[in-house]
Amino acid sequence: MTTGATTTTGMKLSVSGLNSYYGPAHILFDVGLEVGAGEVVALLGRNGAGKSTTFRSIVGLVAERRGRILFEGEDVSALPTHEIVRRGLGYVPEDRRIFTELTVEENFLVGRQPPRAGAPTWTPEKLYALFPNLGEMRSRLGGRMSGGEQQMLTIGRTLMGNPSLVLLDEPSEGLAPKIVEQMADAILAMKREGLSIVLSEQNLHFARLISDRAYIIEKGRIRFSGSMAELEANPEVRDAYLAV
Amino acid sequence: MEFLVVQFLTGLASAASLFLVASGLSIIFGVTRIVNFAHGAFYMLGAYLAYTLTERLEGAFGFWGGLVLAGLAVAALGALLEIVLLRRIYRAPELFQLLATFGVTLMVQDLVVVIWGPEDLVGRRAPGLRGAVEVFGQMVPSYDLFLIALGPVVLGLLWLVFKRTRWGVLVRAATQDRDMVAALGVNQKWLFTSVFALGVFLAGLGGALQIPRDAVSHAMDLRVIVEVFVVVVIGGLGSVFGAFVAAIVVSELNAFGILVMPKISLVLVFLVMAAVLVVRPWGLFGKPEGPARQAPGVSIRPWRPFSPGERIAVAAGVALAALLPLVAGDYALTVGSEIIIFALFAASLHFLMTVGGLASFGHAAYFGLGAYGAAFAAKAAGLPMEAALLAGPLLGLAGAALFGWFCVRLSGVYFAMLTLAFAQITWSVAFQWVEVTGGDNGILGVWPSPWAAGPRGFYWLALAVSAAGIAALRVLVFSPFGYGLRATRDSVLRAEAIGIDRGRVQWTAFVIAGTFAGVAGALFAFLKGSVFPENLAIPTSVDGLVMVLLGGIETVSGAVVGALVYKALAIWLMSQTELSKLVLGAVIVVLVVAFPKGIVGSVEELRARRNRSEPNGAAFGAAKMEAAE
Ligand SMILES: Nc1ncnc2c1ncn2[C@@H]1O[C@H](COP(=O)(O)OP(=O)(O)OP(=O)(O)O)[C@@H](O)[C@H]1O
Ligand SMILES: [Mg+2]
């Protein structure tokens, strides 16, 4: 695409032609997506559609991948994971993967990176304000926390790296309705700080609370891209590709 | 009573160094999942370097500075090793990592002799701590008291580092989930390198601290690594506190074992280790490990029995070998007999390791027990060779039954370490129990019956017995028992779900492998006419591993090919160079890094590629499969 260069300028993250494999299995087919500065974009899709694989591919955790991944205008697809992350591209995995033997404070310490120009700077105190539950259990072991608390911890841990964009993999998965609301508030607060956010979700419910735009992925291919309003106006797309 | 207190203090003093080395091993394992066999080599290097530095540097400052400097220098060497070698094999099966670091150990053994000479060196005494302090009317060296205090201090310092520094927190995080640490922006490479350097520093310092107490010798590496393995098996791999407690337990057992059973003091340690294993297989303070990342022997290419054509080829090969005495001289036949005997030994290890997925680092124990058994039968009981060849392997069987019962409770690196420890205990019994085994002097005059006394007769005997043994093992591989064994290797859970009693199957395999190794050992005793403790020492065990690896660990017949090539090469090397360990170590390292499929594995791959219609596509698929792991 010859117009690619011009349309991607100014984009925070621009992925194009992404193909990923697990061993012999081809999982992603020419996936492309773009995220503007300060935007919240939803990546929607059913179980096994390829959402997590997309995120893992962007941060270099999938060994076999091809495609262009521009972050702040630079191609990061050849970099090792830790260098991609150090440029300010934060990643929150779906299975949370908190360090169960470490306390809340120590989990934050692992994520800590130097402040970054053009990205909000986070401290443990600021995170305790964002997630008040965590403030009450600073020296509790990660393994002794509820699912919701662990989800907050894993997000806070990534924020400690002062990213300018975060990939949030199913942040509402398995949470009680009340916690889901808290989570939505927290993500909106992150957005107000100026963070760009991509979140993956299986259904619209949570995404519609916070997102500006959405992509729908199915069987490893992007099937829809548009604003939330456009998606709302297209019930047949929703029904075809999303869980109810 | 007073004497016992003093003995207790001596034990505590010995525990300090042991703790340093063992905690280093544990810390490295925690993050990198590598059991660093070369840890003993670094300990030894620390002692040698400290010897040289303290000789050169003047005064008290020079002495203590020399010890620390020695530790730092060794740490730098460790970092270099990590960068050059270990980074290439982090994702390899555990067996390869153990072997590669053992190869380094071998190289260091020769290098040390080249640099410092073969004599034991007696180092400087610690300035200010040369005297002794009176405790209950007995004299205790001041330096021992210093060491006793040092142990807890180091434990405390390590605790502080891991609790109070970001680096320590990163290490603990990486111990649990290293990929997640990378996904948070931490450069794993340097984290691993620094962890390795710290662990090696502790080993080097542990060695350096020994010089005022013990002579520095080029055998201290294997001695300490075995004790360290025992310590981490008891304390739990990955636990620094476990290493501390277990180092004290082992050192005290040694200190008092000398009093109770001066000849076989190590047996006491063995009993305690066995008891711990029964109650807590993962050690006192360890955590259960997941299943081994990848058992050795698992192959993408399915195994199959020989086709009729191949069977004819093999029969022809054996027949050809049987004709060798018609053309070869006596020396060649003796060498040939030795090679053939080791082919059987390698095949028995292969059975346990490749078919059973249990990589034993102490298989020589059963080879040696078979040899001693045959020697006892021939010398003490006065049996003829034919009977002794039957009786000898029974000792190997008994040893395998006893040790195997404990070993099969573990898997992966724990299994490897435990088999090594048992082999070393067997070795020390053979070495220490002079009345029965002759100790270092061995048992001489184990002669064959007249018909097999000549090189020809014995060659045919060895060929017949080994060929029969190897054939029997091969039949077992493709028997229902063999299939059951492979099922436990490939998936313990699934094997148990279809009603296979994993423990029993693996124990049986252990006993079978030990018995066949014993047969090889009994033959070997008659070939040499003598038996020595070295027949069951670590190098013999590792020889077996290298043979299997060289031949091709994923293949059925690799062991035999590997034994032929390796043994011939080793005998030739020995006649060519003084530095055979250096060369051998380098060969092992190269083999592991560059040639992990071995000879037969590579040949099979070539054949498979040629037989396929679209060779590139197949190779591409296989390459991606590996990348995904
Ligand atoms: N490690 C793996 N090895 C092989 N295949 C995998 C692996 N991980 C995922 N897959 C496959 O890749 C496809 C996409 O999986 P992915 O986890 O990306 O989906 P997802 O959209 O995140 O689903 P979910 O909503 O369940 O999290 C699925 O078909 C899955 O079976
Ligand atoms: Mg997912």
Side-chain angles (χ1 to χ4, degrees), chain B residues 45 84 440:
Chain B
L45 278 174
V84 174
D440 212 8

Side-chain angles (χ1 to χ4, degrees), chain A residues 48-109:
Chain A
K51 307 180 294 292
S52 300
T53 305
T54 304
F55 284 3
R56 291 167 47 78
S57 300
I58 291 174
V59 288
L61 287 171
V62 176
E64 285 275 324
R65 73 185 191 333
R66 273 200 325 262
R68 205 166 61 145
I69 301 164
L70 295 184
F71 180 63
E72 295 179 337
E74 282 177 58
D75 195 341
V76 296
S77 59
L79 299 179
T81 298
H82 69 95
E83 280 184 28
I84 299 176
V85 170
R86 277 193 197 173
R87 290 178 174 229
L89 205 166
Y91 165 64
V92 179
E94 72 182 318
D95 39 6
R96 294 172 192 151
R97 290 171 74 172
I98 52 151
F99 303 111
T100 52
E101 309 273 306
L102 267 51
T103 64
V104 170
E105 282 176 323
E106 288 172 335
N107 268 280
F108 283 166
L109 192 58

Side-chain angles (χ1 to χ4, degrees), chain A residues 21-24 61 63-64 81-82 85-86 91 93 97-102 106 109-113 157-158, chain B residues 162-163 165-166 169-170 172-174 176-177 179-188 287 620 624-625 627-628:
Chain A
Y21 309 79
Y22 288 121
L61 287 171
E64 285 275 324
T81 298
H82 69 95
V85 170
R86 277 193 197 173
Y91 165 64
R97 290 171 74 172
I98 52 151
F99 303 111
T100 52
E101 309 273 306
L102 267 51
E106 288 172 335
L109 192 58
V110 176
R112 192 184 74 194
Q113 295 286 333
R157 188 179 61 179
T158 296
Chain B
F162 286 122
K163 281 285 179 194
T165 69
R166 173 151 192 266
V169 173
L170 288 182
R172 282 158 59 216
Q176 186 185 342
D177 187 346
D179 289 338
M180 191 59 225
V181 173
L184 289 168
V186 176
N187 188 346
Q188 284 193 67
K287 278 188 229 86
F620 180 52
K624 273 203 301 205
M625 199 102 83

Side-chain angles (χ1 to χ4, degrees), chain B residues 269-619:
Chain B
V269 177
F270 155 66
L271 289 176
V272 171
M273 184 172 74
V276 169
L277 281 175
V278 172
V279 186
R280 283 185 65 95
W282 312 112
L284 295 175
F285 299 92
K287 278 188 229 86
E289 276 292 307
R293 267 158 297 163
Q294 188 193 336
V298 181
S299 167
I300 317 178
R301 212 164 297 115
W303 291 354
R304 53 177 181 77
F306 282 138
S307 64
E310 285 166 327
R311 227 172 266 181
I312 293 170
V314 170
V318 174
L320 215 63
L323 293 179
L324 186 69
L326 302 184
V327 291
D330 285 358
Y331 175 71
L333 285 182
T334 310
V335 169
S337 300
E338 187 166 341
I339 292 176
I340 286 169
I341 290 169
F342 270 90
L344 177 59
F345 174 58
S348 72
L349 176 61
H350 166 274
F351 183 75
L352 184 62
M353 194 158 103
T354 303
V355 188
L358 299 165
S360 168
F361 264 66
H363 203 52
Y366 315 104
F367 179 83
L369 282 174
Y372 273 100
F376 293 150
K379 297 284 289 184
L383 296 179
M385 179 191 78
E386 293 78 5
L389 278 182
L390 288 176
L394 292 181
L395 197 59
L397 185 151
L402 174 64
F403 296 151
W405 191 80
F406 292 103
C407 293
V408 299
R409 292 161 172 264
L410 305 180
S411 61
V413 283
Y414 274 94
F415 180 86
M417 288 193 296
L418 191 60
T419 47
L420 179 93
F422 279 133
Q424 199 58 11
I425 285 160
T426 317
W427 173 83
S428 67
V429 170
F431 190 76
Q432 288 184 333
W433 203 8
V434 181
E435 292 85 347
V436 177
T437 64
D440 212 8
N441 297 323
I443 303 175
L444 307 177
V446 188
W447 300 121
S449 301
W451 65 268
R456 270 186 189 204
F458 198 85
Y459 176 84
W460 276 318
L461 171 71
L463 182 64
V465 174
S466 293
I470 293 167
L473 283 168
R474 210 183 148 95
V475 167
L476 271 175
V477 173
F478 294 105
S479 71
F481 175 78
Y483 285 109
L485 183 60
R486 278 149 73 185
T488 66
R489 173 195 74 191
D490 296 343
S491 168
V492 170
L493 286 182
R494 265 174 272 163
E496 286 185 339
I498 56 170
I500 295 175
D501 182 345
R502 180 201 61 84
R504 175 169 293 272
V505 167
Q506 292 187 336
W507 186 40
T508 310
F510 200 104
V511 174
I512 292 172
T515 309
F516 279 93
V519 174
L523 278 174
F524 191 70
F526 281 103
L527 171 73
K528 295 283 171 184
S530 54
V531 184
F532 294 104
E534 68 181 45
N535 296 148
L536 31 74
I538 297 174
T540 310
S541 293
V542 174
D543 278 355
L545 285 167
V546 176
M547 289 172 198
V548 175
L549 188 66
L550 178 66
I553 190 159
E554 292 175 0
T555 65
V556 194
S557 33
V560 175
V561 175
L564 300 184
V565 175
Y566 176 83
K567 200 68 200 173
L569 191 76
I571 291 173
W572 179 75
L573 254 178
M574 218 89 93
S575 67
Q576 294 295 311
T577 167
E578 294 280 284
L579 301 176
S580 54
K581 283 190 210 162
L582 185 67
V583 179
L584 213 59
V587 167
I588 295 177
V589 170
V590 169
L591 206 60
V592 167
V593 173
F595 198 45
K597 285 198 185 309
I599 297 171
V600 177
S602 304
V603 171
E604 281 184 359
E605 189 140 292
L606 273 179
R607 262 184 17 184
R609 217 176 281 177
R610 206 171 297 160
N611 290 347
R612 210 149 322 173
S613 49
E614 36 184 47
N616 288 333

